[in-house]
């Protein structure tokens, strides 16, 4: 009884976290209130005035040829409060891959976003991963939180359309955190399209597991084929049910204002 009471008390109130990358010097590491917090941005992720989904700036993430990425490009988005069983996360990011971007990688491709699950003692238990397939440039979605992972990369299955080059695209993920099969939910959208939905699997290893942060980019299996950059903008995370709905009535964060350049 005491353990369950402590878990109940640990669940915080509603919050929304928006990283606009607006208030930072062009070329400086993208830390601070509108960046990825005090230490969240990896060294090669900087404020950029070259392009933006909305406003004047975005974050430019650069990877060097041969780099495997982790700790180099991208960063960590730490949520204002942890998420626990029966809470839901919505996370939206806008990504821009230039026309000459080379996405080749080993295995299932390079990571776009990874939401990490932790034990009560804060040990990593697994993750919900969204990566870009090295053959098709479509999305792969993987859930490795229960020890027996399931994946959209089973033969003949990929998610959505190829991530476009030379234009902004919104990628959004919704996860309902639950340790019981049939109660967890994972949904992924590209712009207006829902491209992945899983409602039969657990998304936490135990009822005491929780979520504190997500990686943006970071891992490039086999190393990047060339030195290059991508841009991120208007990264939003919330545990509050959005007002907007998709065509099937599912709540979601997109669309947000922005013309993109």
């Amino acid at each position: 009884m005491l353990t369950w009471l402590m878990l109940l008390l640990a669940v915080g109130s509603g919050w929304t976290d928006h990283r606009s990358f607006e208030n930072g010097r062009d070329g400086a590491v993208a830390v601070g209130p509108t960046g990825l917090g005090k230490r969240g941005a990896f060294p090669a992720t900087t404020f950029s005035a070259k392009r933006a989904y909305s406003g004047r700036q975005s974050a430019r993430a650069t990877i060097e040829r041969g780099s495997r990425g982790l700790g180099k490009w991208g960063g960590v988005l730490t949520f204002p409060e942890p998420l626990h069983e029966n809470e839901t996360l919505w996370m939206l990011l806008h990504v821009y891959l230039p026309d000459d971007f080379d996405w080749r990688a080993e295995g299932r491709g390079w990571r776009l976003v990874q939401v990490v699950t932790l034990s009560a003692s804060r040990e990593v238990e697994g993750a919900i991963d969204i990566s870009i397939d090295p053959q098709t440039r479509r999305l792969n979605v993987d859930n490795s939180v229960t020890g027996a992972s399931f994946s959209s990369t089973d033969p003949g299955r990929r998610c959505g359309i190829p991530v476009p080059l030379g234009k902004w695209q919104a990628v959004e993920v919704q996860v309902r955190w639950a340790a019981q099969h049939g109660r967890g939910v994972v949904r992924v959208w590209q712009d207006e399209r829902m491209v992945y939905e899983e409602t039969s699997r657990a998304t936490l290893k135990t009822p005491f597991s929780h979520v504190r942060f997500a990686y943006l980019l970071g891992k490039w299996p086999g190393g990047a084929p060339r030195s290059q950059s991508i841009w991120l903008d208007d990264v939003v995370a919330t545990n509050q049910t959005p007002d907007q709905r998709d065509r099937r009535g599912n709540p979601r964060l997109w669309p947000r204002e922005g013309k993109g350049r």
Side-chain angles (χ1 to χ4, degrees):
M1 173 68 79
L2 180 59
T3 301
W4 280 105
L5 178 60
M6 292 173 64
L7 181 62
L8 180 63
L9 292 174
V11 177
S13 57
W15 51 263
T16 297
D17 190 5
H18 176 206
R19 305 303 171 118
S20 65
F21 305 104
E22 286 300 293
N23 299 325
R25 179 174 54 84
D26 185 23
V29 178
V31 295
T34 67
L36 294 176
K38 291 182 179 180
R39 294 178 293 275
F42 295 150
T45 300
T46 60
F47 292 105
S48 173
K50 183 174 182 178
R51 55 176 48 95
Y53 174 76
S54 68
R56 299 176 297 103
Q57 293 195 150
S58 62
R60 178 177 183 171
T62 301
I63 191 166
E64 299 298 323
R65 179 179 179 182
S67 173
R68 293 179 179 266
L70 191 60
K72 303 293 184 180
W73 79 327
V76 182
L77 179 66
T78 301
F79 304 132
E81 294 183 13
L83 294 123
H84 300 85
E85 173 125 57
N86 296 322
E87 288 192 277
T88 301
L89 170 71
W90 286 266
M91 185 171 173
L92 169 67
L93 65 154
H94 299 82
V95 59
Y96 183 100
L97 277 59
D99 289 323
D100 61 351
F101 190 80
D102 190 336
W103 64 90
R104 290 174 297 165
E106 293 180 357
R108 293 177 176 173
W110 54 277
R111 179 200 303 150
L112 183 60
V113 60
Q114 180 187 66
V115 187
V116 177
T117 64
L118 306 171
S119 68
S121 58
R122 299 194 183 187
E123 296 178 351
V124 174
E125 291 184 330
I128 306 294
D129 278 283
I130 301 175
S131 57
I132 295 186
D133 185 81
Q135 303 299 322
T136 65
R137 212 169 69 241
R138 294 166 71 184
L139 300 181
N140 292 328
V141 182
D142 296 274
N143 176 345
S144 60
V145 302
T146 60
S149 66
F150 71 94
S151 171
S152 66
T153 59
D154 293 337
R157 296 181 63 194
R158 293 294 186 271
C159 288
I161 62 172
V163 175
L165 302 179
K167 63 179 291 187
W168 287 97
Q169 180 165 92
V171 176
E172 183 174 353
V173 58
Q174 174 196 1
V175 185
R176 185 176 190 272
W177 302 105
Q180 183 178 344
H181 287 272
R183 297 194 64 189
V185 172
V186 180
R187 294 188 178 101
V188 179
W189 294 266
Q190 288 177 277
D191 287 344
E192 75 277 5
R193 305 181 185 187
M194 181 194 292
V195 297
Y196 183 85
E197 182 178 44
E198 175 58 67
T199 59
S200 63
R201 308 279 181 154
T203 50
L204 291 176
K205 189 171 184 179
T206 77
F208 307 102
S209 304
H210 65 289
V211 176
R212 291 178 176 267
F213 62 89
Y215 285 110
L216 303 176
L217 311 179
K219 187 177 181 181
W220 194 301
R226 53 171 290 189
S227 297
Q228 54 192 344
S229 299
I230 72 171
W231 282 259
L232 302 172
D233 202 2
D234 283 315
V235 178
V236 184
T238 187
N239 70 345
Q240 300 184 85
T241 303
D243 293 332
Q244 299 178 118
R245 296 291 187 272
D246 70 5
R247 295 171 181 173
R248 295 169 57 184
N250 298 298
R252 59 171 307 195
L253 291 164
W254 189 90
R256 296 183 65 86
E257 267 189 54
K259 296 180 180 178
R261 59 178 174 83

Coordinates of all heavy atoms in Angstrom, one line a residue, residues 176-219:
R176 N 1.2 6.0 -24.7 CA 0.5 5.8 -23.4 C 1.3 4.8 -22.6 O 1.5 3.6 -23.1 CB -0.9 5.3 -23.5 CG -1.7 5.2 -22.2 CD -3.2 4.9 -22.4 NE -3.9 5.0 -21.2 CZ -4.1 4.1 -20.3 NH1 -3.5 2.9 -20.5 NH2 -4.8 4.3 -19.2
W177 N 1.7 5.1 -21.4 CA 2.7 4.3 -20.7 C 1.9 3.3 -19.8 O 1.1 3.7 -19.0 CB 3.6 5.2 -19.8 CG 4.3 6.1 -20.6 CD1 4.1 7.5 -20.7 CD2 5.4 5.8 -21.5 NE1 5.0 8.0 -21.6 CE2 5.8 7.1 -22.1 CE3 6.1 4.7 -21.8 CZ2 6.9 7.1 -23.0 CZ3 7.2 4.7 -22.7 CH2 7.5 6.0 -23.3
A178 N 2.1 2.0 -20.1 CA 1.4 1.0 -19.3 C 2.3 -0.3 -19.3 O 2.9 -0.6 -20.4 CB 0.1 0.7 -20.0
A179 N 2.3 -1.0 -18.2 CA 3.1 -2.2 -18.1 C 2.2 -3.5 -18.5 O 2.8 -4.5 -18.6 CB 3.6 -2.4 -16.7
Q180 N 1.0 -3.3 -18.7 CA 0.1 -4.4 -19.0 C -0.2 -4.4 -20.5 O -0.5 -3.4 -21.2 CB -1.3 -4.3 -18.3 CG -2.2 -5.4 -18.5 CD -3.5 -5.2 -17.7 OE1 -3.6 -4.4 -16.8 NE2 -4.5 -5.9 -18.1
H181 N -0.1 -5.6 -21.1 CA -0.3 -5.8 -22.6 C -1.8 -5.4 -22.8 O -2.7 -5.7 -22.1 CB -0.1 -7.2 -23.0 CG 1.4 -7.6 -23.1 ND1 2.1 -7.4 -24.2 CD2 2.2 -8.1 -22.2 CE1 3.3 -7.8 -24.0 NE2 3.4 -8.2 -22.8
G182 N -2.0 -4.7 -23.9 CA -3.3 -4.2 -24.3 C -3.7 -2.9 -23.7 O -4.8 -2.3 -24.1
R183 N -2.8 -2.3 -22.9 CA -3.1 -1.0 -22.4 C -2.1 0.1 -22.9 O -2.4 1.3 -22.8 CB -3.1 -1.0 -20.8 CG -4.2 -1.9 -20.2 CD -4.3 -1.7 -18.8 NE -4.8 -0.3 -18.5 CZ -4.9 0.3 -17.3 NH1 -4.5 -0.4 -16.2 NH2 -5.3 1.5 -17.2
G184 N -1.0 -0.3 -23.3 CA 0.0 0.6 -23.9 C -0.5 1.1 -25.3 O -1.1 0.3 -26.0
V185 N -0.1 2.3 -25.7 CA -0.4 2.8 -27.0 C 0.8 3.5 -27.6 O 1.5 4.2 -26.9 CB -1.6 3.8 -27.0 CG1 -1.7 4.5 -28.3 CG2 -2.9 3.1 -26.5
V186 N 1.1 3.2 -28.8 CA 2.2 3.9 -29.6 C 1.6 4.4 -30.9 O 1.1 3.5 -31.7 CB 3.4 3.1 -29.8 CG1 4.5 3.9 -30.6 CG2 4.0 2.6 -28.5
R187 N 1.6 5.7 -31.2 CA 1.1 6.2 -32.5 C 2.2 7.1 -33.0 O 2.8 7.9 -32.2 CB -0.2 6.9 -32.3 CG -1.4 6.0 -31.9 CD -2.7 6.8 -32.0 NE -3.8 6.0 -31.7 CZ -4.5 6.0 -30.5 NH1 -4.1 6.8 -29.6 NH2 -5.5 5.2 -30.3
V188 N 2.4 7.1 -34.3 CA 3.3 8.0 -35.0 C 2.6 8.6 -36.2 O 1.9 7.9 -36.9 CB 4.6 7.2 -35.4 CG1 5.5 8.2 -36.1 CG2 5.3 6.6 -34.2
W189 N 2.9 9.9 -36.3 CA 2.3 10.7 -37.5 C 3.5 11.3 -38.3 O 4.5 11.7 -37.7 CB 1.4 11.8 -37.1 CG 0.1 11.4 -36.4 CD1 -1.1 11.2 -37.0 CD2 -0.1 11.2 -35.0 NE1 -2.1 10.9 -36.1 CE2 -1.5 10.9 -34.9 CE3 0.7 11.2 -33.9 CZ2 -2.1 10.6 -33.6 CZ3 0.1 10.9 -32.6 CH2 -1.3 10.6 -32.5
Q190 N 3.3 11.4 -39.6 CA 4.1 12.3 -40.4 C 3.1 13.4 -41.0 O 2.2 13.0 -41.7 CB 4.7 11.5 -41.6 CG 5.9 10.6 -41.2 CD 6.4 9.9 -42.4 OE1 5.8 8.8 -42.7 NE2 7.5 10.3 -43.0
D191 N 3.4 14.6 -40.6 CA 2.4 15.7 -41.0 C 1.0 15.2 -40.6 O 0.8 14.8 -39.5 CB 2.5 16.1 -42.4 CG 3.8 16.9 -42.7 OD1 4.4 17.4 -41.7 OD2 4.2 17.0 -43.9
E192 N 0.1 15.2 -41.6 CA -1.3 14.9 -41.2 C -1.6 13.4 -41.2 O -2.7 12.9 -40.7 CB -2.3 15.5 -42.2 CG -2.3 14.9 -43.6 CD -1.2 15.3 -44.5 OE1 -0.3 16.1 -44.1 OE2 -1.3 14.9 -45.7
R193 N -0.6 12.5 -41.6 CA -0.9 11.1 -41.7 C -0.5 10.3 -40.5 O 0.7 10.4 -40.0 CB -0.2 10.5 -42.9 CG -0.4 11.2 -44.2 CD 0.4 10.5 -45.3 NE 0.2 11.2 -46.6 CZ 0.7 10.8 -47.7 NH1 1.3 9.6 -47.8 NH2 0.5 11.5 -48.8
M194 N -1.4 9.5 -39.9 CA -0.9 8.5 -39.0 C -0.3 7.3 -39.7 O -0.9 6.7 -40.6 CB -2.1 8.0 -38.1 CG -1.6 6.9 -37.1 SD -2.9 6.0 -36.3 CE -3.8 7.2 -35.4
V195 N 1.0 7.0 -39.4 CA 1.7 6.0 -40.2 C 2.0 4.8 -39.4 O 2.4 3.8 -39.9 CB 3.0 6.6 -40.7 CG1 2.7 7.7 -41.7 CG2 3.9 7.1 -39.6
Y196 N 1.7 4.8 -38.1 CA 1.9 3.7 -37.2 C 1.0 3.7 -36.0 O 0.8 4.8 -35.4 CB 3.4 3.7 -36.7 CG 3.8 2.5 -35.9 CD1 4.2 1.3 -36.5 CD2 3.7 2.5 -34.5 CE1 4.6 0.2 -35.7 CE2 4.1 1.4 -33.7 CZ 4.5 0.3 -34.4 OH 4.9 -0.8 -33.6
E197 N 0.5 2.6 -35.6 CA -0.4 2.5 -34.4 C -0.2 1.1 -33.9 O -0.4 0.1 -34.5 CB -1.8 2.7 -34.8 CG -2.8 2.7 -33.6 CD -4.2 3.0 -33.9 OE1 -4.7 2.5 -34.9 OE2 -4.8 3.8 -33.1
E198 N 0.1 1.0 -32.6 CA 0.2 -0.2 -31.8 C -0.5 -0.1 -30.5 O -0.2 0.8 -29.7 CB 1.7 -0.6 -31.6 CG 1.9 -1.8 -30.8 CD 1.2 -3.1 -31.4 OE1 1.7 -3.5 -32.4 OE2 0.3 -3.6 -30.7
T199 N -1.5 -0.9 -30.3 CA -2.4 -0.8 -29.1 C -2.4 -2.1 -28.3 O -3.2 -2.2 -27.3 CB -3.8 -0.4 -29.4 OG1 -4.4 -1.3 -30.3 CG2 -3.8 1.0 -30.1
S200 N -1.6 -3.1 -28.6 CA -1.7 -4.4 -27.9 C -0.5 -4.8 -27.1 O -0.5 -5.8 -26.5 CB -1.9 -5.5 -29.0 OG -0.8 -5.6 -29.9
R201 N 0.5 -3.9 -27.0 CA 1.7 -4.2 -26.3 C 1.9 -3.3 -25.1 O 1.3 -2.2 -25.0 CB 2.9 -4.0 -27.2 CG 2.8 -4.7 -28.5 CD 3.2 -6.2 -28.4 NE 3.1 -6.9 -29.7 CZ 3.8 -8.0 -29.9 NH1 4.6 -8.5 -29.1 NH2 3.7 -8.6 -31.1
A202 N 2.7 -3.8 -24.1 CA 3.1 -3.0 -23.0 C 4.1 -1.9 -23.5 O 4.9 -2.2 -24.4 CB 3.7 -3.8 -21.9
T203 N 4.2 -0.8 -22.8 CA 5.1 0.2 -23.1 C 6.0 0.5 -21.9 O 6.9 1.4 -22.0 CB 4.4 1.5 -23.5 OG1 3.4 1.9 -22.6 CG2 3.8 1.4 -24.9
L204 N 5.8 -0.1 -20.8 CA 6.7 -0.1 -19.6 C 7.0 -1.5 -19.2 O 6.2 -2.4 -19.3 CB 6.0 0.7 -18.4 CG 5.8 2.2 -18.6 CD1 5.1 2.7 -17.3 CD2 7.1 2.9 -18.7
K205 N 8.2 -1.7 -18.6 CA 8.5 -3.0 -18.2 C 7.8 -3.5 -16.9 O 7.4 -4.6 -16.8 CB 10.0 -3.1 -17.9 CG 10.6 -4.5 -17.7 CD 12.1 -4.6 -17.7 CE 12.6 -6.0 -17.5 NZ 14.1 -6.1 -17.5
T206 N 7.6 -2.5 -15.9 CA 6.9 -2.8 -14.7 C 6.0 -1.6 -14.4 O 6.2 -0.5 -14.9 CB 7.9 -3.0 -13.5 OG1 8.4 -1.8 -13.1 CG2 9.0 -4.0 -13.9
P207 N 5.1 -1.7 -13.4 CA 4.3 -0.6 -13.0 C 5.1 0.5 -12.4 O 4.6 1.7 -12.2 CB 3.3 -1.2 -12.1 CG 3.2 -2.6 -12.4 CD 4.6 -3.0 -12.8
F208 N 6.3 0.2 -12.0 CA 7.2 1.2 -11.3 C 8.2 1.9 -12.2 O 9.0 2.7 -11.8 CB 7.9 0.5 -10.1 CG 6.9 -0.2 -9.2 CD1 6.8 -1.5 -9.3 CD2 6.1 0.5 -8.3 CE1 5.9 -2.2 -8.4 CE2 5.2 -0.1 -7.5 CZ 5.1 -1.5 -7.5
S209 N 8.2 1.5 -13.5 CA 9.1 2.1 -14.5 C 8.6 3.5 -14.8 O 7.4 3.8 -14.5 CB 9.1 1.3 -15.8 OG 9.4 -0.1 -15.5
H210 N 9.4 4.3 -15.3 CA 9.0 5.7 -15.6 C 9.9 6.3 -16.8 O 10.8 5.6 -17.2 CB 9.1 6.6 -14.4 CG 10.5 6.8 -13.9 ND1 11.2 5.8 -13.2 CD2 11.3 7.8 -13.9 CE1 12.4 6.2 -12.9 NE2 12.5 7.5 -13.3
V211 N 9.6 7.5 -17.2 CA 10.2 8.1 -18.3 C 10.6 9.5 -17.9 O 9.8 10.3 -17.3 CB 9.3 8.2 -19.5 CG1 9.9 9.0 -20.7 CG2 8.9 6.8 -19.9
R212 N 11.9 9.9 -18.2 CA 12.4 11.2 -17.8 C 12.9 12.1 -19.0 O 13.0 13.3 -18.9 CB 13.5 11.1 -16.8 CG 13.0 10.7 -15.4 CD 14.2 10.5 -14.4 NE 13.7 10.1 -13.1 CZ 13.4 11.0 -12.1 NH1 13.5 12.3 -12.4 NH2 12.9 10.6 -11.0
F213 N 13.3 11.4 -20.1 CA 13.9 12.2 -21.1 C 13.8 11.4 -22.5 O 13.4 10.3 -22.5 CB 15.4 12.4 -20.8 CG 16.2 11.2 -20.7 CD1 16.8 10.6 -21.8 CD2 16.4 10.6 -19.4 CE1 17.6 9.5 -21.6 CE2 17.1 9.4 -19.3 CZ 17.8 8.9 -20.4
A214 N 14.2 12.2 -23.5 CA 14.2 11.6 -24.9 C 15.5 12.1 -25.6 O 15.9 13.2 -25.4 CB 13.0 12.0 -25.7
Y215 N 16.1 11.2 -26.3 CA 17.2 11.6 -27.2 C 16.7 12.1 -28.5 O 15.8 11.5 -29.1 CB 18.1 10.4 -27.5 CG 19.0 10.0 -26.3 CD1 18.8 8.8 -25.7 CD2 20.1 10.8 -25.9 CE1 19.6 8.4 -24.6 CE2 20.9 10.4 -24.9 CZ 20.7 9.2 -24.2 OH 21.5 8.9 -23.2
L216 N 17.3 13.2 -29.0 CA 17.0 13.7 -30.4 C 18.3 13.3 -31.2 O 19.4 13.8 -30.8 CB 16.8 15.2 -30.4 CG 15.6 15.7 -29.5 CD1 15.5 17.2 -29.6 CD2 14.3 15.0 -30.0
L217 N 18.2 12.6 -32.2 CA 19.3 12.1 -33.0 C 20.3 11.3 -32.2 O 19.8 10.6 -31.3 CB 20.0 13.3 -33.7 CG 19.1 14.3 -34.4 CD1 19.9 15.4 -35.0 CD2 18.3 13.6 -35.5
G218 N 21.5 11.4 -32.4 CA 22.5 10.8 -31.5 C 23.2 9.6 -32.0 O 24.4 9.5 -32.0
K219 N 22.5 8.6 -32.6 CA 23.1 7.3 -32.9 C 23.1 7.1 -34.4 O 22.0 7.0 -35.0 CB 22.4 6.2 -32.2 CG 23.1 4.8 -32.4 CD 22.4 3.8 -31.5 CE 23.1 2.4 -31.7 NZ 22.4 1.4 -30.9

